[in-house]
């Protein structure tokens, strides 16, 4: 039975079309998942894939079954926007504008947040400082915080929530609460005289600080997202824009330079030295060496003659080739490679979605808890009139705001990016570039690493490794003669021979005549003799030269024969040299429990020789780019966690598809962009070091998340019960954020001379996570036990109560501790002389039925101090009396004695 591939078209029974949309408004991986689910649910869509890195949606639709406008409408209904795909240049321009706007908002938010914080702590009760802080908070909240507000509103209109929802609610709560207090709080009094001080502190600094910190995190995320999509864009730019088209009916007609889009399968085109191959094709005439390193990663050029295949984007070196196009546009090998990289990048790792998954449940839960807090405080009030006249309503408002503020996911949002910044910053100083959190997750259980050969295990540059001289000849003389003949050639092998002669101090005589033999070598006249250097066939395989050549070729070396006047003088073997640190790197990886294998496009002899020298058992040779990708996918299906180390464009798809892609910095930009980790120095020992750094950074991220969630689990109940004021809620939230930053900063000392990096076991990781989760509870519990008043609300109390006769009664309780509690009563009338008390009584009743009467002391005109003995608990204070004009004076005040 033959295997039959069942396509989407075969399953649906309808012809299918491909369509791409550019999606805007996505701020996280969960947004891409939401858009993908929305598009997949549109009737007529067979398959939908949304790539967050490129902000593109790739759709497979039934021909004529759905219109683009329907798809755009569906995306907009889900809270985002979409349009037909635009050019890569437009995408880059849009990303650049986004980063510029974020930087502009950061430039405003950070200094204003610092100014607001300074004003709030330097003069928290001063009138001028309070109004100036409010003025600074307006642009921070409504312009700098606009991305969060807009995103939260868009999610709300579509019936969804995300982390921006909680950020918007908490910062708006800070702003609204502070503005309410600013506009309604009466001035404080001293001895009955109003002063320019206000009793209640404002919380503008909390919202401003949250917005400034998260804008910085959002900018870092935008940069990382732009780099993630760069690999596909660089691949797309590899091809040439023009081709030399030939007329097949007239071989003498001049070539025409046309846009590459005008080429069709079967068209003839010409390649001159230095031209890029425009499309896939096959050579019909000519001979030349073609540099395929940009596609295969192999440094040695490939000789092309009649019937040799050509691949688009490769480089013709030294001959003229006429070729027939076999594949153009989306059918070329480069286009297939781009598709493979794009699909590989579209996979969604678990760690990148962790914070958004938590937010999916966390945000609605916090909103529900804040509403429940307000409801409980309202229900437990002693009637509406009693609440309005007491502090109970204000306590409920404080508790509700405290829940929103303490649960703000600032630390949760910073846990991953701050650790990544610290880890990647340290990695940069070590010559290691880590691209995203996906790297850190996949590094944990990596069990297999595939190593490319050229440029990874080897230097990637051919060099002379051996010279055979015929009897009576000297090796240096043969090298000097070959260098003289090759001096005028730009072929990489020729340059390696010339460089070897220079290193040995061999004198290179000038050639009198030089001619390149396309596909065979060079022919020159040196000192009056005809000298040829190249791959000349040996007529007798039994000669000593033939034996040496065969032996070298079995070891994977490239061999050139040196002849003078048709007499063989010697042979030169050239090969890629192994990096000196390769064996040490392989040994370190093996000690880490990783199975190291060799995967290369080179011939089996060369691959096996390299593997034996550095201690690798498993070898896969002659692997094409698609073959490398297929092998990695096969190992993954078998349950392996596979890493790929490479440096060429041929490795790009494999690097992107592997669980962990590592590119050597000596390779091409595309390989580096497609990889998760780049070793800039090209030192292979950077691979095990990068793994250790990735694993430690991942552990720090998990510790940060445990720490942030631990604070919320402890602080939210405290806030709901009214034991945590909005100010202290912000402190708790700020401490969690500072802790995350400090914990991440430890990564700056990774692998320092006095802190050598070591591989930690999973047991060590679990212990560190348990400590990170329990430490917030221990610290907050210690504060509560050490000082019961640390989280009490409030330490003192001040209330202004309008009186029926037009006077105002100011009540002030300096301390709410058990014992003799002093209650200050100030009576004043605006724009008139101070009235005085004629008669006044104070009586307090506890929730348990106890009673206490106040002893009065007259402290001056309109000022009485009442001393009342009170114990722990909630006391209701009733004040009744008259003033000097006979007007009634009465008030009710709830005192929480703690």
């Amino acid at each position: 039975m033959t295997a039959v591939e069942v396509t989407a078209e075969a399953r649906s029974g309808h012809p299918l079309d491909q369509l791409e949309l550019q999606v805007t408004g996505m701020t996280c991986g969960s947004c891409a998942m939401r858009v993908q689910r929305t598009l997949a649910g549109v009737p007529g869509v067979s398959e939908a894939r949304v790539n967050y890195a490129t902000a593109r949606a790739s759709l497979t639709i039934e021909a004529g079954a759905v219109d683009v406008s329907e798809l755009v409408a569906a995306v907009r209904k889900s809270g985002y926007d979409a349009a037909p795909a635009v050019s890569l240049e437009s995408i880059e321009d849009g990303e650049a504008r986004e980063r510029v706007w974020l930087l502009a908002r950061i430039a405003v938010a950070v200094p204003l947040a610092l100014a607001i914080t300074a004003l709030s702590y330097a003069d928290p009760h001063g009138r001028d400082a309070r109004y100036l802080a409010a003025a600074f908070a307006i642009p921070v909240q409504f312009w700098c915080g606009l991305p969060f507000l807009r995103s939260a509103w868009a999610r709300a209109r579509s019936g969804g929530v995300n982390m921006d929802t909680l950020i918007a609610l908490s910062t708006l709560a800070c702003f609204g609460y502070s503005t309410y207090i600013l506009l309604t709080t009466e001035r404080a009094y001293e001895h009955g005289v109003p002063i320019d001080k206000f009793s209640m502190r404002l919380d503008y600094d909390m919202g401003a600080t949250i917005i400034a910190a998260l804008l910085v995190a959002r900018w870092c995320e935008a940069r990382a997202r732009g780099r993630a999509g760069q690999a596909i864009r660089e691949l797309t730019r590899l091809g040439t824009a023009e081709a030399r088209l030939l007329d097949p009916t007239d071989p003498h007609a001049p070539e025409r330079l046309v846009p590459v889009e005008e080429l069709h399968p079967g068209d003839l085109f010409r390649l001159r030295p230095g031209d890029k191959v425009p499309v896939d094709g096959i050579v019909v005439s000519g001979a030349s060496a073609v540099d395929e390193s940009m596609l295969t990663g192999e440094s040695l050029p490939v000789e092309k003659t009649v019937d040799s295949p050509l691949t688009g984007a490769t480089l013709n070196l030294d001959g003229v080739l006429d070729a027939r196009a076999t594949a153009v546009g989306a059918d070329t090998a480069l286009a297939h490679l781009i598709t493979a990289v794009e699909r590989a990048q579209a996979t969604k790792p678990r760690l990148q979605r962790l914070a958004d998954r938590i937010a999916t449940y966390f945000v609605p839960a916090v909103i529900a808890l804040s509403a429940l807090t307000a409801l409980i405080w309202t229900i437990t009030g002693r009637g509406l009139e009693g609440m309005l006249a007491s502090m109970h309503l204000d306590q409920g408002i404080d508790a509700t705001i405290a829940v929103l503020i303490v649960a703000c996911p600032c630390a949760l949002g910073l846990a991953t990016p701050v650790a990544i910044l610290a880890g990647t910053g340290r990695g940069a100083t070590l010559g290691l570039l880590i691209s995203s959190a996906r790297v850190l997750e996949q590094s944990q259980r990596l069990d297999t690493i595939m190593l490319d050969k050229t440029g990874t295990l080897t230097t990637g540059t051919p060099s002379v490794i051996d010279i055979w001289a015929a009897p009576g000849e000297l090796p240096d003389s043969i090298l000097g003669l070959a260098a003289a003949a090759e001096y005028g050639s730009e072929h990489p092998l020729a340059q390696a021979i010339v460089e070897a002669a220079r290193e040995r101090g061999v004198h290179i005589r000038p050639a009198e005549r030089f001619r390149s033999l396309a596909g065979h070598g060079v022919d020159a006249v040196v000192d009056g003799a005809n000298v040829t250097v190249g791959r000349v066939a040996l007529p007798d395989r039994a000669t000593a030269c033939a034996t040496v050549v065969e032996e070298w070729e079995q070891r994977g070396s490239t061999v050139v024969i040196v002849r003078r006047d048709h007499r063989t003088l010697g042979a030169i073997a050239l090969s890629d040299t192994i990096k000196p640190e390769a064996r040490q790197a392989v040994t370190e990886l093996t000690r880490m429990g990783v199975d190291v294998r060799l995967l290369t496009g080179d011939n089996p002899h060369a691959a096996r020789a390299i593997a034996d020298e550095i201690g690798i058992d498993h070898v896969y040779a002659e692997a094409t780019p698609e073959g490398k990708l297929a092998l990695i996918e096969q190992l993954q299906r078998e349950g392996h966690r596979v890493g790929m180390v490479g440096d060429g464009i041929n490795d790009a798809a494999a690097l992107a598809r592997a669980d962990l892609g590592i590119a050597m910095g000596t390779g091409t930009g595309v390989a580096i962009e497609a990889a998760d980790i780049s070793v800039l120095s090209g030192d292979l020992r950077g691979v095990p070091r990068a793994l250790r750094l990735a694993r430690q950074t991942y552990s720090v991220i998990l510790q940060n998340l445990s720490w942030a969630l631990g604070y919320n689990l402890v602080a939210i109940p405290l806030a709901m019960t009214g034991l945590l004021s909005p100010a202290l809620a912000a402190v708790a939230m700020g401490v969690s954020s500072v802790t995350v930053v400090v914990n991440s900063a430890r990564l700056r000392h990774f692998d320092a001379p006095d802190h050598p990096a070591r591989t930690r076991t999973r047991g060590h990781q679990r212990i560190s996570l348990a400590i990170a989760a329990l430490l917030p509870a221990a610290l907050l519990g210690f504060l509560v036990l050490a000082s019961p008043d640390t989280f009490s609300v409030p330490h003192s109390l001040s209330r202004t109560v309008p009186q029926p006769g037009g006077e105002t009664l100011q009540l002030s309780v300096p301390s709410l501790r058990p014992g003799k509690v002093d209650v200050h009563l100030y009576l004043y009338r605006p724009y008139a002389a101070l009235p005085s008390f004629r008669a006044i009584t104070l009586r307090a009743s506890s929730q348990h039925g106890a009673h206490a009467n106040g002893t009065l002391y007259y402290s001056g005109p309109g000022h009485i101090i009442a001393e009342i003995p009170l114990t722990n608990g909630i006391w209701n204070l009733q004040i009744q009396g008259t003033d000097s004009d006979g007007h009634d004076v009465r008030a009710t005040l709830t005192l929480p004695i703690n």
Side-chain angles (χ1 to χ4, degrees), residues 8-28:
E9 180 173 342
R11 291 192 300 268
S12 65
H14 300 281
L16 301 176
D17 289 337
Q18 300 295 323
L19 177 66
E20 286 196 344
L21 295 178
Q22 194 69 32
V23 183
T24 56
M26 297 190 298
T27 59
C28 59

Side-chain angles (χ1 to χ4, degrees), residues 16 122 195 258 351 376 476 670 789 888:
L16 301 176
I195 59 175
V258 300
L351 184 60
I376 291 175
D476 283 355
V670 173
D789 292 328
D888 289 340

Side-chain angles (χ1 to χ4, degrees), residues 75-96:
V75 174
R76 289 176 178 171
K77 188 176 180 180
S78 67
Y80 305 90
D81 200 1
V86 295
S87 64
L88 294 175
E89 290 74 15
S90 299
I91 295 175
E92 291 180 339
D93 291 343
E95 291 177 347

Side-chain angles (χ1 to χ4, degrees), residues 26-37 50 52 80 155 161-163 221 348 352-360:
M26 297 190 298
T27 59
C28 59
S30 64
C31 295
M33 294 173 63
R34 181 180 176 89
V35 174
Q36 182 169 304
R37 287 195 300 267
V50 177
Y52 176 55
Y80 305 90
R155 301 299 86 73
V161 295
N162 62 0
M163 292 180 68
E221 179 187 353
K348 305 292 195 307
Q352 287 181 337
R353 302 195 303 263
L354 180 58
D356 291 298
R357 282 181 175 178
I358 294 174
T360 301

Side-chain angles (χ1 to χ4, degrees), residues 432-490:
L432 310 172
L433 289 185
I434 299 177
S435 64
S436 69
R438 175 185 180 273
V439 180
L440 314 174
E441 179 189 28
Q442 299 299 336
S443 67
Q444 302 306 297
R445 298 181 180 179
L446 199 70
D447 57 44
T448 304
I449 278 188
M450 313 295 286
L451 296 178
D452 179 47
K453 182 180 74 69
T454 305
T456 302
L457 291 173
T458 62
T459 60
T461 303
S463 60
V464 174
I465 61 171
D466 206 349
I467 301 174
W468 175 83
E473 301 292 339
L474 297 176
D476 283 355
S477 298
I478 293 172
L479 182 63
L481 195 62
E486 296 275 21
Y487 193 83
S489 174
E490 296 182 356

